[in-house]
Amino acid sequence: RMLSGYKPKNDVNDSYKILELEEGCSLDDVRNSYRNLAKKYHPDSRSGMADSKAFIRVEEAYRVVLSDLAGKQKSEPGEEEEDQFKSKSLQHRHYLSFEGVGIGTPSQREKQYMQFRVDRATEQVLEYRQQRLESRYAGSDLSRAQDVRQSKKVKITQAVERLVEDLIQESMAKGDFDNLSGKGKPLQKFSDSPHIDPMTHNLNRILIDNGYQPEWILLQKEIRETIGRLRKGIVAARRKLGEPMSLPEQKQWGRVCEQFEEDIRKLNKRVDNFNLVVPILSRQMVHFSTDKEILRARKTYEAVVEKVSDSDTKENEGEEGKRFGWKSSLMKWLKL
């Protein structure tokens, strides 16, 4: 142990020089110097002089200086300086104190300490039981007071119910309920399906009477109205262009188709939102196709054009028939 703790005099002097100190300095000076040099040379510091090797030398010198100061402090009198370097007692040494209980040898003190622990545990158990009994009796008193208040509330409620029942019987005796609509008829408060809860049925009936509609119903209605309006709009735009279309009219028709495609894309987003909230899987909707809708608009336009042409031909034939019928009737009259 003496050989391992031995430090040559040259190493001690070099350590003081590395820490930029002189022999005879205080412990605070050593710590402050080490802290400053560590900030300067530590690799993790952001200083420009950071050096890991220099930091290792500073740390070794700090340990050597501390051991040198400890050796000097042991040789000098004074309790405060000794307490700074005095090593703490080992953990198993604390076991021999026994909280200051007992006298005699360590084995005798240990037995006395074990008996002291048993007595202390017994006292703690008795105190715990006493507190538990006190809390139980206090809780029983509280529950008794709550029962009294609850009974008063029940009595008041029963008194109000009896008063209401007496008023109803008095009104029935006077005949106030004889002119009610639906007297003698069963109450229609339950639905035809026995599997529906009456409370749920009544809530649904109240919501329906006040005009409430689920979100998916409103979305479905909005989607149908929107697709109908878009179909009518594109057919009307095609009818305005006429047949056959010129080059400017074809460009205008292309712009109409692009706007129609954008409207269909927005409508498909609403369809996605509808499919997320609809409660029935069979009620879900598919996306609308722009090409199919444009083809449908063309067919509708062609059907409208054919219908208009047929009506024009029929009108022309009717006018010619009327003209020829007038001439034939004149000839018959002349012959007669």
Side-chain angles (χ1 to χ4, degrees), residues 70-297:
K72 292 179 179 179
Q73 291 291 339
K74 287 181 180 179
S75 60
E76 296 178 0
E79 296 181 356
E80 295 180 357
E81 289 81 7
E82 291 181 0
D83 292 339
Q84 296 178 357
F85 304 99
K86 188 176 182 180
S87 60
K88 295 182 179 180
S89 59
L90 299 177
Q91 188 174 4
H92 68 277
R93 299 293 296 177
H94 290 282
Y95 181 72
L96 300 178
S97 63
F98 301 115
E99 299 183 10
V101 177
I103 57 174
T105 61
S107 60
Q108 294 175 353
R109 295 181 62 197
E110 182 180 0
K111 293 180 180 179
Q112 296 172 12
Y113 180 66
M114 294 299 295
Q115 185 63 34
F116 168 74
R117 291 184 61 186
V118 171
D119 297 338
R120 185 172 58 184
T122 305
E123 292 178 358
Q124 292 177 355
V125 169
L126 292 176
E127 291 178 359
Y128 171 74
R129 290 180 178 178
Q130 183 179 359
Q131 293 176 0
R132 188 175 179 181
L133 290 174
E134 291 177 356
S135 62
R136 183 181 299 177
Y137 284 118
S140 63
D141 295 338
L142 182 60
S143 62
R144 191 179 299 109
Q146 290 178 355
D147 293 340
V148 171
R149 289 195 296 268
Q150 189 68 23
S151 62
K152 289 182 180 179
K153 289 182 181 180
V154 171
K155 289 180 181 179
I156 293 171
T157 304
Q158 292 177 355
V160 172
E161 290 178 355
R162 286 197 299 269
L163 178 60
V164 172
E165 185 66 24
D166 293 340
L167 293 174
I168 292 173
Q169 293 296 332
E170 185 179 355
S171 299
M172 290 176 64
K174 291 180 180 180
D176 295 338
F177 298 153
D178 294 340
N179 298 325
L180 296 177
S181 60
K183 180 181 178 182
K185 298 179 181 179
L187 296 175
Q188 298 294 334
K189 61 178 180 179
F190 300 109
S191 60
D192 297 332
S193 177
H195 304 288
I196 298 178
D197 184 19
M199 182 62 68
T200 304
H201 171 71
N202 291 332
L203 290 175
N204 292 335
R205 180 175 55 79
I206 293 171
L207 293 174
I208 292 171
D209 293 341
N210 288 275
Y212 171 78
Q213 291 181 352
E215 183 181 2
W216 67 276
I217 295 291
L218 297 176
L219 282 175
Q220 187 180 26
K221 183 179 179 181
E222 183 181 357
I223 290 170
R224 289 177 179 176
E225 291 177 353
T226 304
I227 191 62
R229 178 172 51 81
L230 292 177
R231 287 171 179 173
K232 290 180 181 179
I234 193 170
V235 172
R238 182 65 184 87
R239 291 183 64 182
K240 288 180 181 180
L241 297 176
E243 186 68 28
M245 292 187 296
S246 60
L247 185 59
E249 291 177 346
Q250 290 179 1
K251 293 181 179 180
Q252 186 177 357
W253 173 248
R255 290 193 294 269
V256 171
C257 291
E258 290 178 358
Q259 183 63 34
F260 182 75
E261 183 178 1
E262 180 67 20
D263 294 337
I264 290 295
R265 186 180 63 82
K266 294 179 180 178
L267 183 62
N268 287 332
K269 288 185 178 180
R270 296 183 185 177
V271 172
D272 294 336
N273 296 332
F274 170 77
N275 292 333
L276 290 174
V277 298
V278 64
I280 305 174
L281 186 62
S282 59
R283 292 294 185 92
Q284 290 189 345
M285 303 174 66
V286 296
H287 285 186
F288 295 97
S289 175
T290 307
D291 299 334
K292 291 182 180 180
E293 293 297 332
I294 293 175
L295 181 61
R296 179 175 179 174

Side-chain angles (χ1 to χ4, degrees), residues 55-68:
F55 176 73
I56 292 173
R57 290 196 300 270
V58 168
E59 189 174 6
E60 292 177 352
Y62 176 66
R63 293 178 180 176
V64 171
V65 171
L66 283 181
S67 62
D68 183 58

